[in-house]
Amino acid sequence: MSGHAASKEACEAAQVDPAWRDACSALLIPLNECRRKNFFLPWRCEHERHAYEKCQYKDYVRRVKAMEQRREQNGGADE
């Protein structure tokens, strides 16, 4: 995990959909608050959006590496 996971209570209070409650949910909460405050204008909240997207990318890279390690351990039997 990236260490950015929000608690279940924080996600519920911020009305984060369960599908988006992942390792980066603590960054999604302030991003969504900023979006609502600024009427979802695309040029606002750039810092928050960049931080969230970077976290999502790092989590993706971590999952890909974990899958590659599993494939190596299984001798490539998953393919």
Side-chain angles (χ1 to χ4, degrees):
M1 289 280 184
S2 300
H4 293 288
S7 68
K8 181 180 177 183
E9 293 79 19
C11 287
E12 288 175 356
Q15 298 177 341
V16 175
D17 191 271
W20 294 102
R21 295 179 191 180
D22 58 4
C24 302
S25 59
L27 297 172
L28 181 61
I29 293 171
L31 172 61
N32 284 341
E33 289 173 359
C34 181
R35 286 172 168 169
R36 287 184 199 110
K37 187 175 114 183
N38 292 293
F39 304 105
F40 287 83
L41 294 172
W43 57 88
R44 302 283 175 106
C45 311
E46 289 180 351
H47 174 73
E48 292 88 347
R49 186 179 49 128
H50 176 71
Y52 177 71
E53 289 176 351
K54 184 176 181 180
C55 180
Q56 288 282 300
Y57 176 73
K58 285 183 176 182
D59 189 48
Y60 168 76
V61 169
R62 180 193 57 79
R63 289 183 284 121
V64 167
K65 286 181 182 179
M67 188 63 184
E68 288 173 355
Q69 287 177 349
R70 278 191 217 124
R71 282 189 180 145
E72 288 176 8
Q73 290 174 352
N74 293 338
D78 291 353
E79 296 177 23

